[in-house]
Amino acid sequence: MKNFRNILLSASLTVALFAACSGNGGLTVSGLDPAKFDSTVNEKPVKLYTLKNSKGMEVCITNFGGRIVSLCVPDKTGKPTDVVLGCDNLKEYTDTINSPSDFGASIGRYANRINKGQLTIEGKKIQLPINNFGHCLHGGPSGWQYQVYDANQLNDSTLQLTMNSKDGDNNFPGNVKAIVTYTVKSNNSLDIKYEATTDKETVINMTNHSYFNLTGDLTKPGMDMVLYINADKYTPTDATFMTTGEILPVKGTLMDFTKPHAISKTIGDSTFIQIKNARGYDHNWCLNTYKDGKGNDAVVAASLYAPNTGIYLEMFTTEPGVQVYTGNFLEGKITGKHGIAYPKQCSVCLESQKYPDSPNKKNWPSPYLKPGQKYESHTVFKFSVK
């Protein structure tokens, strides 16, 4: 009887996901109802915006947190497949007390962690809010992922989001204007451009925090996906997930993804202190594509591949690092799209960015931005099948 119930559940889920990707009934191809995102948050309008191309790619984004809610691409059979985690209504995203998440968000002002929330700008010590193991994570408890961006959809394939962050936002100095431009290209890539200016010296480090699962089944762990990272070095962390200041070689360690392999082959080895501390992978790799202060976004920085669907994701970026996070803290605590409770390690985040705690590591690529300067960052997620 138990096996019969499991068969029925699996069949029902398959039917639901197939129906969701049909685009019928006014829904998006990924099965989202735009009406469930049409609201007002902090007196600002929030909507769901749909970007698409003629090759079967669709990306749905809400300007609450600049979040990618769904990302549909064809698998090897041509079936539309949603490859990111997320929620199917705005309420689940705004309920930060019961189910806080960074699913798909445009992170700012500072992606990743700042040690003890402390930094020094122009000789002045600044204390940022603490929200993660004694550190400031992703801009603090009211970072940009929990704020509303001003949205302007330029055409069917491009969305421009603007954040006007006031001086003192989460204690960060400077009035900052940041722009995130999402574009779905004809080659089934999602092109993301970040820009920012400030009227006082500050720190800026923006990224996208999509949780990728290319397998088509979000009910199961996704660690059989094959990961490649174009990096010979990484920044180790302590038990609080904070970088130690070291930059170590990956060769001979479980951090070596210079040759693609299934994440499941190494993630279960808790004898390696880095995996033990993080309960999996949650680390920054120093990309080989970044040299002499400049990133080469024409060379693959990282890739992810699901053999069962054939979906292949390549990431290109101008940033010096990529934080790879394997969803170690999901554990079925958050119910996402189509009523699925996401299990532990069902996804992989590829967060292009400055190294964690760069404001306090003088020899690392600088995140400081001064008046008159312009912050620019470029990341591309390109999808294909093989």
Side-chain angles (χ1 to χ4, degrees):
M1 181 62 71
K2 181 177 180 181
N3 289 337
F4 182 68
R5 285 198 301 267
N6 289 340
I7 291 172
L8 284 178
L9 177 61
S10 178
S12 298
L13 180 60
T14 299
V15 171
L17 289 176
F18 181 79
C21 282
S22 68
N24 293 330
L27 304 181
T28 66
V29 173
S30 58
L32 297 172
D33 182 355
K36 293 183 178 180
F37 291 83
D38 195 348
S39 186
T40 301
V41 178
N42 295 331
E43 300 182 347
K44 300 186 71 173
V46 175
K47 294 182 180 296
L48 186 73
Y49 298 85
T50 301
L51 309 180
K52 56 187 176 181
N53 65 13
S54 61
K55 303 292 180 63
M57 181 175 180
E58 178 199 77
V59 181
C60 295
I61 300 169
T62 174
N63 58 316
F64 177 73
R67 295 168 181 263
I68 297 174
V69 180
S70 66
L71 197 164
C72 253
V73 292
D75 70 2
K76 61 186 178 183
T77 69
K79 177 184 175 182
T81 305
D82 189 357
V83 296
V84 296
L85 276 59
C87 303
D88 52 19
N89 63 80
L90 181 63
K91 183 179 179 181
E92 295 298 325
Y93 285 117
T94 57
D95 186 5
T96 58
I97 296 177
N98 295 317
S99 58
S101 81
D102 297 321
F103 292 152
S106 295
I107 302 294
R109 290 187 187 188
Y110 196 91
N112 218 304
R113 296 167 178 85
I114 295 178
N115 190 28
K116 299 179 182 178
Q118 298 175 352
L119 69 159
T120 300
I121 296 180
E122 295 182 328
K124 180 182 178 181
K125 292 185 178 179
I126 296 172
Q127 179 62 60
L128 305 172
I130 301 302
N131 62 327
N132 184 264
F133 294 91
H135 309 297
C136 181
L137 174 67
H138 295 329
S142 58
W144 293 353
Q145 65 270 42
Y146 301 118
Q147 300 183 37
V148 179
Y149 285 75
D150 296 323
N152 181 21
Q153 184 158 358
L154 304 181
N155 50 52
D156 287 346
S157 61
T158 304
L159 177 67
Q160 188 176 80
L161 301 176
T162 302
M163 175 64 65
N164 289 296
S165 176
K166 294 183 179 180
D167 182 23
D169 182 5
N170 277 286
N171 290 353
F172 286 95
N175 291 295
V176 169
K177 180 179 181 180
I179 299 174
V180 185
T181 304
Y182 287 108
T183 304
V184 171
K185 296 295 187 71
S186 59
N187 64 349
N188 277 7
S189 65
L190 178 62
D191 184 290
I192 310 176
K193 292 182 179 179
Y194 306 92
E195 304 169 67
T197 56
T198 183
D199 63 357
K200 291 182 181 179
E201 185 171 358
T202 190
V203 292
I204 297 289
N205 185 30
M206 299 179 68
T207 193
N208 177 264
H209 208 307
S210 285
Y211 289 59
F212 293 105
N213 182 314
L214 312 181
T215 70
D217 186 356
L218 302 181
T219 66
K220 299 176 182 177
M223 295 300 99
D224 286 338
M225 289 187 288
V226 177
L227 176 65
Y228 163 73
I229 308 175
N230 188 358
D232 295 326
K233 297 178 181 179
Y234 77 104
T235 53
T237 59
D238 61 22
T240 68
F241 301 85
M242 178 50 59
T243 48
T244 63
E246 301 169 283
I247 294 179
L248 299 180
V250 300
K251 187 175 182 179
T253 77
L254 301 184
M255 310 299 287
D256 191 349
F257 285 90
T258 54
K259 293 183 179 180
H261 67 261
I263 305 169
S264 57
K265 290 186 177 181
T266 51
I267 196 170
D269 191 343
S270 60
T271 62
F272 183 57
I273 190 65
Q274 291 298 312
I275 289 180
K276 181 180 179 180
N277 283 346
R279 302 173 61 186
Y281 289 107
D282 189 3
H283 298 82
N284 167 72
W285 274 261
C286 307
L287 293 170
N288 294 333
T289 53
Y290 188 88
K291 294 180 180 179
D292 300 323
K294 186 176 181 180
N296 186 349
D297 55 5
V299 179
V300 176
S303 69
L304 198 62
Y305 172 61
N308 67 312
T309 62
I311 298 175
Y312 180 49
L313 164 60
E314 297 169 288
M315 187 190 81
F316 305 82
T317 185
T318 57
E319 288 298 317
V322 58
Q323 183 84 8
V324 177
Y325 171 56
T326 50
N328 310 316
F329 288 93
L330 290 175
E331 298 179 326
K333 296 177 181 179
I334 298 178
T335 299
K337 290 172 290 189
H338 314 302
I340 299 173
Y342 296 133
K344 180 180 180 180
Q345 296 176 346
C346 75
S347 60
V348 176
C349 300
L350 300 173
E351 306 162 60
S352 57
Q353 59 192 268
K354 303 291 187 294
Y355 304 165
D357 196 37
S358 284
N360 296 308
K361 269 79 171 184
K362 293 183 179 180
N363 295 326
W364 292 4
S366 175
Y368 286 91
L369 182 70
K370 296 181 180 181
Q373 296 178 335
K374 186 177 182 181
Y375 167 88
E376 293 181 289
S377 179
H378 184 220
T379 295
V380 175
F381 295 109
K382 182 182 178 182
F383 295 86
S384 58
V385 294
K386 67 175 184 177

